[in-house]
Amino acid sequence: MNETRRRYYLHRMADYGDRHFDPAAGMLLLPMSGYRNVHAEHLDDTPRHPVRESLYYALVLLELADRSLQGRAEVIIRRLIALQEASDPEAKTFGLWPYFLEDPVAKWSWPDFNWADFNAMTLLFIWHRHGRRLSASLATEIEQAIARAAICIRRRNVDLNYTNIAIKGTFVTLSAAEISGDADLHRYALDRLGRLRDTVLSAGGFVEYNSPTYAAISLAGLHAIGTYVRDERARVLTEPLLERFWRDVAERFHPETMELAGPHARAYTTRLGEAPELLGSLIEKASRGSVVYPLVEGREPFGALYACVVNVDAPADVVAALSARASKPRQTVVRSQARPTEAPRVQTTWLEPAFCLGSVSFQDGWEQRHNLIAYWKSKDGKIGSLTHRYLRDDRPCCSGYFVSEQREGAVAAGAFLGAYADHHVSIPTEGTTCAFLGPVIELDAAGEKIDVCVDGCRVGLGESVPVSVGGVVRLTLSAVTFEWSLMKHDVSPAPKSGPRVESVSADRLRIVLPHYEGMRRQLRWLDFERAASGYALSLAASGAAFPKADGLDVVVPETTPVSPIATETWALHREVASV
């Protein structure tokens, strides 16, 4: 990323901040759309003043190096430091920031402790890059706020499998220790970084594997250590993590679609191109400008800030892979095992010029998962996608587990109901209330008409056609063809409706496998004796033969199982909620 491109990003972020700045509050005023998570579900849709984005805006103003903007930046920084919880040094929330001006930490029923890591990291960028330009009193206030955040981070001592936060918190504690001269904190941070390296390397991968969002945040945190931490030991410990992260990105990067091929442990949009600010800007910098993602009009652009303030030095072969113009057919298989008590999780990705396809061997159905996802480019250059989701009405359900085995462009997949959670992985429940429950395979052809056949008979626009076990669905597009076959659908008690193909529109299609469908009512997971579906999916370039699914197999439970992690997760939820 050259300086011209960097200035382009900064001005786009500054323009966005200028439009949303509220002088009376000294902060940005933004809609709630970016905060619809478990920590903010108690809030209505009233626009609020967010801490994180306001602090990003202050850093952007300082990065532009225009003295006329420095006064506003300092006002924002002081305003946000005042919102940090600082009243009781013994409290678990000491050093934490709220999401919003309107909702202080003291009144937050379920605090997001990640906000200590996120906001302290931004304050550190401000201190390292602009501390000499700020008044001595403000620089001291920033140092004190960073020190309080480091106390919160150390006290929490997050599980090192929580990859992005483990990395960000390690950068904060390392840098805070060097600023303050706190030798004990420095020993803790350096030991934590060593344990983090060993955790990742021994597991064989990341719990937050292949995430378009969190790979970027983790990379930014690692590059921040390399850019700003002085201790050479920290740089040495960071190198294998950086290499592993960048290789994971490069191995799954699909040049034809510019997408990060699946599966994704945590993703907030279906496509990287829909939200390219974070990872897209880092890929641009790592590829020396060979790959450039346009910012999406109307989206909050602050994710590009990390690439503007850290040095990015990827290995030479990673740079070459990211700069490639075409894919060579290849399969990537990553086996990771976060804990000795868990079975290895296998992530399989197939790339060839016409498409990419990825799946994971086992995973829950949380809305941030892309357990099976394919991308291809339509005839007019848009990006199409096929995804598997387990839905409760229109929202993904954590209790809808996914299993698969993949070889190249062929996948055997299963979906089954387990007794676990509903909308969030950290809140186990006994059931849910809905009118529909079950796996849904969705195809978005990005404006291109889909030719649909069920058992050789064409499906008309808007039609809904039943599919029996053994039935074959053929989906034909200009660049790719899909063959999908129902292998198993066993639900007890059985719903009144069965598996079907729905032609939603000319370019959108759903394959629906109901585990419950009927009147909206309360369901208990264990009311189901069993609820399982299985299918085979093959994907080929237009005119090519389908890959053979022979020998691929998955096993789904014969009865509704209780998730082995439900008890542990529930205990964690109770601990956090009681703070």
Side-chain angles (χ1 to χ4, degrees):
M1 181 187 296
N2 59 32
E3 183 61 20
T4 299
R5 183 68 175 169
R6 178 177 175 276
R7 299 286 294 184
Y8 162 77
Y9 277 126
L10 291 172
H11 281 292
R12 284 289 298 270
M13 289 184 277
D15 290 344
Y16 181 88
D18 293 346
R19 292 196 305 272
H20 294 90
F21 184 66
D22 178 2
M27 297 175 66
L28 301 185
L29 181 63
L30 296 177
M32 278 288 296
S33 57
Y35 282 88
R36 276 293 161 230
N37 64 36
V38 69
H39 300 284
E41 288 195 339
H42 62 289
L43 302 176
D44 61 26
D45 289 331
T46 304
R48 287 175 168 79
H49 297 86
V51 170
R52 180 180 61 179
E53 287 76 10
S54 297
L55 198 54
Y56 287 161
Y57 176 52
L59 175 55
V60 167
L61 295 178
L62 293 172
E63 287 293 312
L64 289 172
D66 183 337
R67 287 196 172 275
S68 66
L69 302 176
Q70 184 166 328
R72 176 178 286 191
E74 292 185 353
V75 166
I76 296 170
I77 295 167
R78 282 198 166 92
R79 186 75 179 95
L80 299 181
I81 289 176
L83 296 178
Q84 187 184 33
E85 181 59 39
S87 59
D88 181 3
E90 300 304 315
K92 287 185 178 181
T93 54
F94 180 76
L96 183 64
W97 281 271
Y99 277 172
F100 307 108
L101 166 68
E102 292 82 358
D103 304 280
V105 171
K107 296 182 179 180
W108 204 353
S109 59
W110 192 353
D112 187 345
F113 282 86
N114 297 345
W115 249 230
D117 307 76
F118 269 89
N119 294 305
M121 186 170 177
T122 309
L123 280 176
L124 280 165
F125 290 147
I126 290 171
W127 189 90
H128 281 293
R129 298 176 67 84
H130 307 288
R132 293 180 181 179
R133 294 173 49 202
L134 303 176
S135 66
S137 62
L138 181 54
T140 299
E141 287 183 50
I142 292 172
E143 291 169 12
Q144 292 170 345
I146 291 168
R148 288 191 291 268
I151 291 173
C152 183
I153 291 166
R154 182 177 183 179
R155 185 173 287 158
R156 180 191 187 191
N157 199 31
V158 71
D159 185 332
L160 297 179
N161 285 301
Y162 194 175
T163 317
N164 81 94
I165 296 302
I167 290 170
K168 288 172 79 76
T170 300
F171 165 64
V172 172
T173 50
L174 274 170
S175 203
E178 290 189 340
I179 290 171
S180 65
D182 187 333
D184 182 59
L185 179 62
H186 188 267
R187 281 191 295 271
Y188 163 79
L190 200 62
D191 174 71
R192 171 171 160 155
L193 180 56
R195 289 184 290 112
L196 175 62
R197 179 204 59 182
D198 294 344
T199 297
V200 171
L201 297 183
S202 64
F206 308 102
V207 172
E208 295 175 335
Y209 54 83
N210 199 34
S211 167
T213 301
Y214 292 106
I217 293 175
S218 296
L219 282 166
L222 293 169
H223 282 302
I225 293 172
T227 305
Y228 299 108
V229 172
R230 297 189 300 271
D231 192 324
E232 185 62 28
R233 292 171 294 177
R235 296 170 184 267
V236 171
L237 289 169
T238 299
E239 285 175 1
L241 292 171
L242 271 171
E243 181 175 341
R244 181 58 190 263
F245 261 110
W246 273 121
R247 291 195 192 288
D248 276 10
V249 171
E251 286 175 348
R252 269 96 166 223
F253 181 70
H254 189 235
E256 290 79 5
T257 60
M258 292 176 59
E259 294 293 338
L260 185 67
H264 306 139
R266 301 188 65 186
Y268 290 93
T269 60
T270 304
R271 292 184 44 238
L272 172 59
E274 294 172 339
E277 305 86 21
L278 271 165
L279 187 56
S281 59
L282 288 171
I283 288 175
E284 177 181 342
K285 197 165 188 176
S287 70
R288 314 292 193 264
S290 296
V291 181
V292 176
Y293 291 86
L295 291 177
V296 178
E297 291 296 332
R299 276 189 57 84
E300 180 262 291
F302 288 120
L305 183 55
Y306 287 137
C308 295
V309 297
V310 297
N311 299 329
V312 176
D313 297 311
D317 58 335
V318 169
V319 175
L322 294 175
S323 304
R325 296 302 178 192
S327 300
K328 293 181 179 179
R330 68 180 188 274
Q331 179 165 287
T332 297
V333 178
V334 177
R335 296 175 181 271
S336 61
Q337 187 173 12
R339 296 175 177 86
T341 56
E342 294 181 4
R345 182 170 278 116
V346 182
Q347 309 141 44
T348 306
T349 305
W350 173 254
L351 292 92
E352 61 175 86
F355 67 90
C356 58
L357 173 67
S359 63
V360 64
S361 60
F362 175 80
Q363 188 57 276
D364 59 62
W366 188 27
E367 62 188 354
Q368 293 186 19
R369 314 293 192 203
H370 287 159
N371 294 328
L372 182 150
I373 189 162
Y375 298 110
W376 64 92
K377 185 178 286 188
S378 68
K379 60 183 177 183
D380 61 357
K382 295 180 181 179
I383 309 304
S385 63
L386 178 140
T387 57
H388 168 111
R389 299 193 299 166
Y390 194 102
L391 299 183
R392 185 262 290 148
D393 293 335
D394 292 325
R395 185 170 184 175
C397 175
C398 298
S399 282
Y401 285 91
F402 177 85
V403 289
S404 74
E405 185 177 0
Q406 178 180 344
R407 184 175 60 245
E408 299 182 357
V411 180
F416 64 90
L417 182 66
Y420 176 31
D422 183 12
H423 68 285
H424 199 277
V425 290
S426 62
I427 311 177
T429 63
E430 293 184 349
T432 189
T433 299
C434 63
F436 175 84
L437 188 70
V440 177
I441 295 89
E442 298 176 301
L443 189 149
D444 180 354
E448 184 178 352
K449 184 179 178 181
I450 309 168
D451 183 49
V452 188
C453 288
V454 176
D455 294 331
C457 297
R458 183 165 276 107
V459 177
L461 182 62
E463 287 187 342
S464 178
V465 177
V467 181
S468 302
V469 172
V472 177
V473 180
R474 178 73 65 99
L475 310 172
T476 304
L477 296 162
S478 60
V480 292
T481 304
F482 296 85
E483 188 170 86
W484 183 94
S485 180
L486 182 61
M487 308 304 293
K488 180 184 182 73
H489 188 70
D490 188 6
V491 185
S492 179
K496 294 181 180 179
S497 54
R500 62 188 181 271
V501 174
E502 295 180 347
S503 175
V504 179
S505 64
D507 67 338
R508 296 183 70 89
L509 175 136
R510 289 161 43 110
I511 300 174
V512 182
L513 306 174
H515 288 175
Y516 172 77
E517 193 164 25
M519 291 181 57
R520 181 174 178 80
R521 67 180 183 88
Q522 188 172 7
L523 301 172
R524 286 169 43 90
W525 311 131
L526 294 177
D527 289 341
F528 292 84
E529 295 178 25
R530 58 190 174 277
S533 303
Y535 59 87
L537 172 70
S538 294
L539 176 55
S542 180
F546 284 114
K548 297 295 184 182
D550 298 347
L552 296 179
D553 192 22
V554 293
V555 177
V556 293
E558 293 300 319
T559 59
T560 301
V562 176
S563 167
I565 64 171
T567 304
E568 176 186 340
T569 308
W570 175 247
L572 174 64
H573 163 57
R574 295 283 293 181
E575 178 185 344
V576 174
S578 66
V579 171

